[in-house]
Amino acid sequence: MASSWWRWRCCGSWRPAAPSPGQGFPRRAEPPGPRAVTAARAQISYFNRVKSLMSAFPNMYSISRFPHVTSAACCCSRTRSGNKYIDPFKLGWRDLKGLYEDIRKELLISTTELKEMSEYYFDGKGKAFRPIIVVLMARACNTHHNNSRDVQASQRSIALIAEMIHTASLVHDDVIDDACSRRGKHTVNKIWGEQKAVLAGDLILSAASIALARIGNTAVISILTQVIEDLVRGEFLQLGSKENENERFAHYLEKTFKKTASLIANSCKALIDDVLDFTACSDQMGKPTSADLRLGLATGPVLFACQQFPEMNAMIMRRFSLPGDVDRARQYVLQSDGVQQTAYLAQRHCHEAVREISKLRPSPERDALIQLSEIVLTRDK
């Protein structure tokens, strides 16, 4: 079964899924098919690009070469080096003061309306998750290499660029999804229209590209350009679906990795977002829940639920387009263990991230990154 090879791939061992109503125990896990192997290779390629990005700076080494390994426990918080709890966001913001002001300076726009649209999401109300990860990782790697925790100017620039690329993708995603709200307010496309929203996203992306070029490091430029390509390819993958169950899981996995921007924590974040789409209320999320179903998307909870309720297959293939499909699919998910299975999968990714970051020398920033992984898993919005 698809869920079986999924756990086999992610965990290194097989854990049986809960039996479907009226059925016995599931069959033995089968080895992953060609699509699963392709998805795995895509992950490895993405991992190698992020390692290259870190090694492109003179004071940063590849994580895979760090000899100081700390055993990762089942609970992420137990891997900290004995220090008191450190708020990763407070620690990271020390290097990000003036983040949004600096981003707005990059958006040199003379047209008033275009300026308002481009700056709309740079209002300081976002989580700035990606910039936080960048500066924490920079300090942790710098400490490991030469005991200097100072963040280089080029490393901070990467933090700004990451937030700009991410925000541009949000503007474009909202157009594709015809979204009405984000971060608790109306979307750019709902206020100014779809055509202008597309142009605003393009402008943010072009400003990010100019800032990237100023760094002057061809390896960094190549890697972050690949991230932009991955975002586009991930969006295309999201628009499609597969009839075969094994291919569906591989498709979902590949899409998740291409649409997320951080190796250490965002693979977990993407999975947890899928869980919250079924468990959180709209006020918590700042956007409507069950949004993925309404967009015709089969996320992790849906794919796992399909193992117990095969009648969902038809709904997946027609992208929940018939009246009542969304409500029925949601009920199937809530009656199944799909949410729990997806949360478990996110936890496995979290543990993998912790194992990698634990190879760094102990430092407040390393501990903060480990804590951040746990925060991602337990968040409710």
Side-chain angles (χ1 to χ4, degrees):
M1 294 175 66
S3 59
S4 299
W5 75 252
W6 177 280
R7 287 183 214 95
W8 175 82
R9 237 187 52 72
C10 292
C11 312
S13 61
W14 178 68
R15 186 172 77 91
S20 302
Q23 296 181 358
F25 290 101
R27 300 186 302 271
R28 282 181 72 86
E30 297 177 357
R35 285 283 299 177
V37 174
T38 301
R41 286 173 179 164
Q43 291 182 51
I44 294 170
S45 174
Y46 194 87
F47 183 32
N48 288 337
R49 285 201 302 275
V50 176
K51 290 198 295 183
S52 299
L53 177 58
M54 290 190 293
S55 63
F57 295 109
N59 289 338
M60 299 177 73
Y61 276 172
S62 163
I63 282 183
S64 64
R65 294 169 55 190
F66 295 149
H68 297 271
V69 181
T70 302
S71 298
C74 292
C75 178
C76 298
S77 61
R78 292 177 186 171
T79 62
R80 297 198 297 273
S81 57
N83 296 331
K84 64 180 182 180
Y85 171 79
I86 299 173
D87 186 328
F89 291 95
K90 286 184 178 179
L91 188 62
W93 269 111
R94 295 184 309 174
D95 297 305
L96 294 174
K97 291 178 181 178
L99 170 71
Y100 294 108
E101 289 82 355
D102 291 343
I103 289 177
R104 286 195 288 269
K105 289 177 184 177
E106 297 288 345
L107 300 171
L108 299 174
I109 309 164
S110 57
T111 306
T112 302
E113 187 178 35
L114 188 55
K115 182 178 177 64
E116 289 178 1
M117 287 189 292
S118 301
E119 296 181 351
Y120 185 67
Y121 286 137
F122 298 118
D123 56 3
K125 295 181 180 179
K127 294 185 287 290
F129 200 80
R130 289 153 188 80
I132 291 289
I133 290 175
V134 170
V135 295
L136 289 177
M137 179 62 77
R139 278 184 176 266
C141 291
N142 292 349
T143 298
H144 181 92
H145 177 46
N146 59 13
N147 293 322
S148 172
R149 292 170 60 199
D150 294 338
V151 173
Q152 300 173 32
S154 55
Q155 292 171 332
R156 188 179 184 276
S157 294
I158 292 295
L160 269 68
I161 293 165
E163 184 69 1
M164 294 171 75
I165 292 173
H166 170 61
T167 302
S169 73
L170 295 184
V171 175
H172 286 158
D173 282 355
D174 287 343
V175 173
I176 294 171
D177 299 341
D178 193 26
C180 298
S181 62
R182 181 177 292 279
R183 297 176 180 172
K185 62 182 184 180
H186 292 305
T187 55
V188 173
N189 50 293
K190 285 302 175 185
I191 298 176
W192 287 282
E194 291 185 354
Q195 292 181 332
K196 290 182 178 180
V198 170
L199 295 175
D202 290 346
L203 189 141
I204 296 170
L205 200 55
S206 67
S209 300
I210 293 171
L212 180 59
R214 282 203 304 268
I215 293 176
N217 187 309
T218 55
V220 172
I221 293 171
S222 176
I223 291 163
L224 288 182
T225 301
Q226 184 64 52
V227 170
I228 297 173
E229 179 184 336
D230 283 346
L231 285 169
V232 176
R233 290 182 181 274
E235 194 63 50
F236 266 89
L237 286 170
Q238 183 167 282
L239 295 174
S241 186
K242 299 291 181 181
E243 288 193 46
N244 180 275
E245 291 182 7
N246 280 338
E247 288 188 350
R248 260 192 224 139
F249 273 98
H251 189 86
Y252 172 65
L253 181 65
E254 186 178 358
K255 182 271 296 181
T256 298
F257 270 82
K258 285 189 180 299
K259 285 203 68 178
T260 52
S262 167
L263 171 69
I264 298 299
N266 276 20
S267 58
C268 283
K269 180 178 182 296
L271 292 163
I272 291 298
D273 276 345
D274 293 343
V275 169
L276 293 177
D277 199 43
F278 290 93
T279 60
C281 66
S282 298
D283 290 339
Q284 284 177 296
M285 292 289 285
K287 57 184 178 182
T289 52
S290 295
D292 290 329
L293 286 176
R294 299 180 196 283
L295 292 171
L297 306 179
T299 55
V302 173
L303 297 178
F304 280 118
C306 191
Q307 305 301 315
Q308 295 172 256
F309 298 99
E311 52 266 49
M312 294 181 70
N313 279 304
M315 288 190 281
I316 290 173
M317 292 312 300
R318 63 177 177 256
R319 299 178 68 85
F320 313 103
S321 59
L322 294 184
D325 274 359
V326 170
D327 291 335
R328 285 176 60 208
R330 179 177 175 83
Q331 288 305 312
Y332 281 135
V333 168
L334 297 178
Q335 290 171 31
S336 72
D337 65 354
V339 169
Q340 293 85 352
Q341 294 282 16
T342 305
Y344 170 77
L345 179 60
Q347 187 179 45
R348 296 304 308 180
H349 281 288
C350 172
H351 292 169
E352 288 297 319
V354 168
R355 182 156 57 226
E356 290 299 315
I357 197 64
S358 295
K359 295 176 183 178
L360 291 164
R361 288 176 180 168
S363 69
E365 287 76 20
R366 188 202 74 163
D367 295 343
L369 282 167
I370 293 173
Q371 182 61 39
L372 194 58
S373 296
E374 186 169 340
I375 291 172
V376 165
L377 283 177
T378 57
R379 70 189 181 93
D380 61 2
K381 63 180 180 178

